[in-house]
């Protein structure tokens, strides 16, 4: 694949960024993608490696060597059709996927991997420019009706696949626009919402009915004290869905944020990241919102070292925070992974995001003991350093420190889907609180409740967009087979 000697001749070319001082002034995307010649050269680096581990490293099993080779040969239309055959939304993954395919690249054993993600990004952007992305409505209708609850990447992928199989699909979303955490979670500077809007229009052109502002839950909704974003204006019961539809697929996100129950947690100014981030997305969409959580002029501390924490850092800097500090309870990982030990699996190593480069202090092996306040508002927090001892994290004596903090954002991940929804359907949960369902080829994604299926974060827990797309596609095939007795949808 690619040029036979390309991997020896050409170096990896990474996508560029607009200057920090410019991009901090707005919420627009700032990645500078590869041009046609750069993408061709990057495709030339793809080796004829015999066993392309990148395929299995990619959760949707993109046929990566083929589209790399086609880009190298400048056959962009064919490259798009190869990519489109396995991935419903490459513009999402080409922007926000961490690229496990690149970690699995054979060239990554002793060199820099092929820039697979940047090539994917270039292919899909060109496909939209050239008009190759078209609606593909089914030629024949099955007469079956399917409800998809949750419009994140799993729900959107499943709805598209099922509609193309000829089923009448209705996509339900509790918020006012579809996209799930793609819409209200991931900042606009990482993913412009235009990309979601174009796919929503495509879904509708393929026959999908989209119903926003509709919560599917029992009489108690999401629970009295829920902090989960919910802008629904009406509620539909599980009983209604089961009576009106031939199958129901639950694809809601793992939206229950992990809490930090230490003294002072109740203070004003301590918030979940998913209270903070969706508000800015909504403002960017042109909506008005009272009482927005803002970081202007504040000492901000983000607790949690992952992607959500990074998003809080970038958003806080755009607000004009006085300072931004990010805490991670785990020790600082190595700057370079031990490739012979971990390849082709996803390595643990220090990752510095574009948001970190915009300005943030990062602290590792640190744990928060208390939030300290004045007149009900958080003013500081007290921490202690931690270390692994006898297989568990232990406090290091004499390392307590107080940090100024006017705004604390909890970005420590998500523990499970919103329990009241699964309980309203009567769906069994696993030990982690996710919907219990297998991924078996036959009968996969089916729950214990007749004609109710579950996929995405609702089933597997907090995960990547690319895993959500995979699960949505596979669940669609299982539902199609359940309804028709057979299916020719790809798995």
């Amino acid at each position: 694949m690619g040029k036979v000697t390309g991997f020896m001749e050409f170096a990896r070319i990474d996508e560029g960024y607009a200057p920090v001082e410019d991009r901090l002034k707005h919420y627009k995307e700032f990645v500078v993608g590869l041009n046609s010649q750069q993408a061709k050269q990057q495709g030339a680096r793809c080796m004829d490696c015999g066993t392309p581990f990148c395929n299995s490293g990619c959760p949707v099993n993109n046929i990566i060597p083929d589209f790399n080779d086609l880009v190298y040969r400048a056959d962009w239309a064919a490259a798009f059709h190869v990519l489109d055959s396995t991935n419903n939304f490459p513009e999402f993954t080409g922007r926000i996927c961490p690229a496990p395919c690149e970690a699995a690249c054979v060239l990554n054993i002793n060199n820099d991997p092929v820039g697979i993600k940047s090539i994917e990004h270039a292919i899909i952007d060109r496909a939209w420019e050239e008009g190759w992305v078209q609606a593909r409505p089914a030629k024949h209708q099955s007469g079956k009706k399917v409800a998809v609850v949750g419009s994140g990447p799993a729900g959107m992928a499943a709805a598209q696949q099922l509609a193309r199989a000829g089923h009448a699909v209705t996509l339900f979303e509790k918020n006012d626009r579809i996209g799930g955490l793609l819409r209200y979670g991931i900042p606009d500077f990482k993913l412009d919402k235009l990309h979601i809007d174009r796919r929503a229009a495509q879904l509708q052109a393929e026959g999908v009915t989209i119903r926003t502002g509709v919560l599917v839950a029992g009489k108690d909704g999401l629970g009295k004290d829920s902090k989960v974003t919910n802008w629904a204006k009406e509620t539909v019961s599980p009983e209604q869905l089961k009576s009106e539809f031939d199958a129901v697929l639950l694809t809601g996100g793992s939206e229950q944020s992990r809490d930090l129950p230490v003294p002072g947690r109740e203070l004003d100014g301590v918030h979940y990241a998913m209270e903070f981030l969706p508000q800015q997305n909504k403002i960017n969409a042109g909506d008005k919102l009272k009482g927005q959580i803002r970081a202007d002029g504040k000492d901000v501390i983000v607790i949690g070292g992952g992607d959500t924490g990074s998003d809080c850092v970038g958003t806080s800097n755009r607000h004009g925070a006085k300072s931004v500090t990010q805490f991670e309870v785990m020790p600082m990982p190595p700057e370079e992974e031990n490739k012979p030990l971990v390849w082709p699996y996803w390595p643990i190593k220090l990752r510095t995001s574009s948001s970190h480069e915009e300005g943030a202090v990062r602290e590792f092996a640190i744990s928060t003991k208390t939030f300290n306040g004045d007149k009900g508002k958080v003013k500081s927090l007290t921490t202690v350093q931690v270390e692994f001892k006898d297989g568990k994290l232990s406090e290091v004596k004499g390392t307590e420190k107080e940090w100024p903090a006017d705004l604390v954002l909890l970005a420590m991940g998500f523990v499970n889907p919103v329990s009241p929804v699964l309980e309203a359907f009567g769906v069994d949960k696993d030990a982690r609180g996710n919907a219990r369902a297998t991924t078996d080829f036959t009968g996969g994604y089916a729950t214990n409740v007749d004609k109710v299926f579950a996929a995405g974060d609702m089933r597997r827990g907090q995960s990547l967009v690319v895993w959500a797309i995979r699960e949505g596609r596979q669940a669609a095939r299982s539902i199609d087979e359940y309804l028709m007795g057979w299916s020719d949808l790809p798995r």
Side-chain angles (χ1 to χ4, degrees):
M1 294 298 169
K3 186 177 181 183
V4 175
T5 56
F7 69 97
M8 295 186 290
E9 296 177 33
F10 306 118
R12 177 184 170 97
I13 304 173
D14 288 313
E15 294 180 316
Y17 296 142
V20 170
E21 59 270 21
D22 293 339
R23 68 192 198 230
L24 282 178
K25 298 175 183 176
H26 59 76
Y27 292 89
K28 298 175 183 176
E29 290 183 7
F30 53 80
V31 172
V32 180
L34 304 186
N35 61 35
S36 296
Q37 185 55 39
Q38 289 171 326
K40 174 184 173 71
Q41 188 181 101
Q42 200 56 208
R45 297 183 71 234
C46 188
M47 305 163 66
D48 186 8
C49 56
T51 302
F53 284 84
C54 56
N55 284 17
S56 54
C58 172
V60 293
N61 302 123
N62 278 337
I63 311 167
I64 294 164
D66 289 34
F67 69 63
N68 283 345
D69 182 61
L70 289 163
V71 167
Y72 166 62
R73 300 180 188 285
D75 193 344
W76 288 84
F80 163 67
H81 289 301
V82 170
L83 178 57
D84 184 61
S85 70
T86 56
N87 186 350
N88 295 67
F89 313 119
E91 62 269 47
F92 301 164
T93 52
R95 284 169 168 79
I96 58 175
C97 183
C101 55
E102 293 187 13
C105 175
V106 171
L107 189 54
N108 191 43
I109 294 173
N110 62 353
N111 203 324
D112 293 325
V114 175
I116 300 166
K117 178 180 172 181
S118 60
I119 294 173
E120 179 178 334
H121 186 177
I123 292 170
I124 188 60
D125 280 7
R126 180 152 183 174
W128 279 107
E129 290 169 7
E130 299 287 350
W132 298 331
V133 183
Q134 296 289 330
R136 303 207 303 268
K139 295 180 180 179
H140 306 285
Q141 295 301 309
S142 69
K144 302 291 186 179
K145 296 170 63 179
V146 183
V148 179
V149 181
S151 70
M156 291 177 69
Q160 184 163 69
Q161 295 296 98
L162 288 164
R164 288 174 175 177
H167 306 305
V169 181
T170 301
L171 184 61
F172 291 88
E173 169 56 51
K174 69 181 186 304
N175 293 321
D176 54 354
R177 298 174 177 89
I178 74 165
L181 292 183
L182 292 173
R183 173 77 66 177
Y184 290 123
I186 293 172
D188 294 57
F189 56 79
K190 281 191 173 179
L191 179 72
D192 191 309
K193 307 317 174 198
L194 160 72
H195 305 298
I196 306 173
D197 295 338
R198 290 194 297 198
R199 288 298 184 176
Q202 184 190 33
L203 290 176
Q204 290 174 314
E206 292 175 344
V208 175
T209 299
I210 295 175
R211 292 186 60 186
T212 56
V214 180
L215 174 66
V216 178
K219 61 180 181 179
D220 296 325
L222 299 182
K224 182 176 61 175
D225 300 319
S226 176
K227 296 286 188 180
V228 171
T229 304
N230 177 19
W231 290 309
K233 294 183 177 179
E234 65 174 299
T235 301
V236 171
S237 71
E239 290 71 29
Q240 273 180 272
L241 286 195
K242 287 188 284 185
S243 65
E244 292 178 18
F245 292 88
D246 299 294
V248 177
L249 174 61
L250 306 179
T251 61
S254 183
E255 294 185 272
Q256 192 63 55
S257 298
R258 181 172 283 107
D259 205 352
L260 186 59
V262 300
R265 170 64 180 90
E266 75 287 350
L267 291 169
D268 184 24
V270 182
H271 300 278
Y272 291 123
M274 290 310 299
E275 294 176 78
F276 176 68
L277 295 172
Q279 291 184 358
Q280 188 58 55
N281 291 133
K282 199 164 178 62
I283 295 293
N284 292 346
D287 296 347
K288 293 182 178 180
L289 196 66
K290 290 183 179 179
Q292 183 191 4
I293 302 167
R294 298 282 306 184
D296 314 64
K298 295 179 180 178
D299 290 309
V300 179
I301 291 185
V302 179
I303 301 179
D307 288 338
T308 304
S310 173
D311 293 343
C312 290
V313 169
T315 302
S316 295
N317 278 324
R318 281 163 178 75
H319 282 186
K322 179 181 177 183
S323 69
V324 183
T325 305
Q326 186 176 20
F327 290 168
E328 168 56 55
V329 72
M330 299 299 288
M332 182 175 171
E335 291 193 13
E336 292 292 335
E337 73 270 34
N338 185 339
K339 290 184 178 182
L341 180 67
V342 299
W343 181 88
Y345 301 109
W346 183 247
I348 296 175
K349 66 176 182 178
L350 182 64
R351 301 177 192 277
T352 300
S353 74
S354 58
S355 291
H356 295 138
E357 293 169 353
E358 293 166 1
V361 174
R362 302 170 76 184
E363 297 288 338
F364 293 88
I366 191 168
S367 177
T368 302
K369 290 178 69 70
T370 64
F371 299 116
N372 312 309
D374 180 32
K375 297 180 181 178
K377 294 186 177 181
V378 68
K379 291 299 178 184
S380 68
L381 54 78
T382 303
T383 64
V384 65
Q385 295 296 132
V386 292
E387 63 180 355
F388 271 106
K389 213 172 200 178
D390 300 325
K392 63 180 182 180
L393 283 175
S394 303
E395 295 184 2
V396 179
K397 291 182 179 179
T399 60
E400 287 195 1
K401 181 178 178 179
E402 188 170 348
W403 303 74
D406 305 302
L407 175 62
V408 179
L409 300 170
L410 306 180
M412 303 174 295
F414 304 87
V415 290
N416 48 249
V418 183
S419 296
V421 173
L422 293 178
E423 290 161 4
F425 275 92
V427 169
D428 286 346
K429 294 182 281 188
D430 64 18
R432 296 183 299 155
N434 304 319
R436 187 187 297 278
T438 73
T439 59
D440 295 344
F441 188 85
T442 302
Y445 298 93
T447 70
N448 60 298
V449 180
D450 183 41
K451 72 181 183 182
V452 176
F453 297 74
D457 288 6
M458 182 73 81
R459 190 204 68 83
R460 66 177 282 118
Q462 177 190 358
S463 193
L464 304 176
V465 167
V466 68
W467 273 106
I469 294 172
R470 170 196 173 110
E471 295 229 338
R473 288 171 62 90
Q474 291 191 350
R477 180 189 167 89
S478 288
I479 291 170
D480 187 35
E481 195 169 40
Y482 165 80
L483 294 174
M484 309 304 293
W486 67 282
S487 177
D488 59 2
L489 285 176
R491 181 176 160 86

